[in-house]
Amino acid sequence: MIMEQPLDGRRAIVTGASRGIGRAIAEQLSRAGAAVALIARSGDDLEQVATAIRTGGGTAVPIVADLGHDDPAAVARQASDQLGGVDIVINNAAVLEPLGRSGPDIDPLAWRQSLEINVTAPAMISFALLPQLLAAGWGRIVNISSGVAAHPGAMVNGNAYVTAKAAIEGHTLNLAAELDGTGVTANVYRPGTVDTAMQRLLRTQDPDKVGAFLPERFNRLYERGGLIPAQDSALSLVRRLPDPGNGQILSVSDPVPR
Ligand SMILES: NC(=O)c1ccc[n+]([C@@H]2O[C@H](COP(=O)([O-])OP(=O)(O)OC[C@H]3O[C@@H](n4cnc5c(N)ncnc54)[C@H](OP(=O)(O)O)[C@@H]3O)[C@@H](O)[C@H]2O)c1
């Protein structure tokens, strides 16, 4: 007998699905029954994720795109065409850089590019897909943020990243208010401190370039076993998708339905 899964028949797009939290979310969505479009720049990594999902009996469509350069709305439409529609949008892709002292040490183009990838692309993807979500009367938009949005002063020398995470939360909660009562929800997810390439990048920063604060803080956290596995964070989000509320700042530390 085949067990019904909570997201059977749903179609999801996940940005930044080539590794880390995005990959884990895509895998957990597939286990919960959804077909997934996987978006990132690294084609070989995406193929590996897609193969793993298909081997487990799921449906996965890899789409190579650079959300800092390609048109995010066109990427969203391509994903929708390939899946035959979209019900769930997980805007997870983000970059940490540029890191360093604000002012001459930060390349203004890199600062703008960070906001393009971390804020503008998620908004444009959601806007491109909203008409079909609204027409269906059911949809889930989740924008991945960070706990740093609640403590903007805590990540010294990470001005672009912190600005972006604060902005994505404002964007999401405002959109949620607009969507109230439509069946389409928009929520933020703060995934916790997760053992990924982004965390490695923080630990391996050159103190001469970015200051000692960031690498010291994140190395201490790593050494005391303070990182959580990506699959745990992903499962915590995916379990909530059937009934996530609207306009919520969801966090990995919240209780999760079984
Ligand atoms: N890890 C943590 O502790 C932590 C904590 C709080 C919040 N978060 C958030 O969680 C999310 C995932 O983080 P992570 O730790 O899994 O990071 P990660 O390991 O660095 O993965 C980032 C993902 O984004 C993709 N990406 C980056 N730039 C892109 C671009 N221009 N176009 C398309 N895809 C792009 C990367 O793929 P390609 O390189 O293949 O393009 C990769 O799949 C991010 O929103 C991050 O801010 C993470």
Side-chain angles (χ1 to χ4, degrees), residues 16 18-19 21 41-42 66-67 92 161 165 192 194 196 199:
S18 61
R19 62 173 187 259
I21 298 168
R41 293 166 299 181
S42 313
D66 183 340
L67 296 173
N92 162 82
Y161 184 79
K165 291 308 186 188
V194 185
T196 67
Q199 276 289 327

Side-chain angles (χ1 to χ4, degrees), residues 23 26-27 29 49 64 70 84 92 136 138 142 154 157 189 205 214 216 221 223 250:
R23 174 181 181 151
E27 290 174 340
L29 282 167
V49 181
V64 177
D70 299 325
N92 162 82
W138 194 98
V142 179
N157 295 328
Y189 182 58
Q205 288 301 308
L214 280 182
E216 275 178 10
L221 197 62
E223 280 154 20
L250 307 172

Side-chain angles (χ1 to χ4, degrees), residues 25-221:
I25 291 173
E27 290 174 340
Q28 292 295 346
L29 282 167
S30 176
R31 272 178 218 147
V36 283
L38 313 165
I39 296 165
R41 293 166 299 181
S42 313
D44 289 351
D45 292 346
L46 285 181
E47 284 297 341
Q48 272 187 27
V49 181
T51 301
I53 287 174
R54 289 178 195 135
T55 304
T59 300
V61 177
I63 296 174
V64 177
D66 183 340
L67 296 173
H69 291 285
D70 299 325
D71 174 8
V75 175
R77 283 192 292 272
Q78 185 188 345
S80 177
D81 288 348
Q82 291 191 236
L83 288 174
V86 170
D87 309 288
I88 298 169
V89 180
I90 310 286
N91 284 307
N92 162 82
V95 289
L96 186 62
E97 290 170 307
L99 295 170
R101 295 173 193 92
S102 295
D105 288 353
I106 296 294
D107 174 358
L109 286 179
W111 199 97
R112 283 168 183 253
Q113 184 69 8
S114 157
L115 274 284
E116 233 7 88
I117 297 164
N118 295 3
V119 183
T120 306
M124 295 305 128
I125 287 172
S126 297
F127 293 164
L129 296 170
L130 260 177
Q132 64 166 285
L133 300 178
L134 288 167
W138 194 98
R140 301 285 181 264
I141 296 170
V142 179
N143 292 323
I144 307 299
S145 179
S146 162
V148 81
H151 306 283
M155 194 171 159
V156 175
N157 295 328
N159 186 266
Y161 184 79
V162 175
T163 301
K165 291 308 186 188
I168 197 72
E169 293 205 352
H171 156 74
T172 310
L173 300 190
N174 179 269
L175 183 61
E178 187 182 321
L179 293 173
D180 202 31
T182 63
V184 181
T185 65
N187 292 292
V188 163
Y189 182 58
R190 295 179 180 166
T193 314
V194 185
D195 194 3
T196 67
M198 190 178 278
Q199 276 289 327
R200 266 197 306 285
L201 189 62
L202 279 165
R203 290 198 299 277
T204 54
Q205 288 301 308
D206 178 357
D208 289 338
K209 197 175 135 226
V210 307
F213 178 80
L214 280 182
E216 275 178 10
R217 176 171 170 220
F218 286 98
N219 273 302
R220 272 200 307 275
L221 197 62

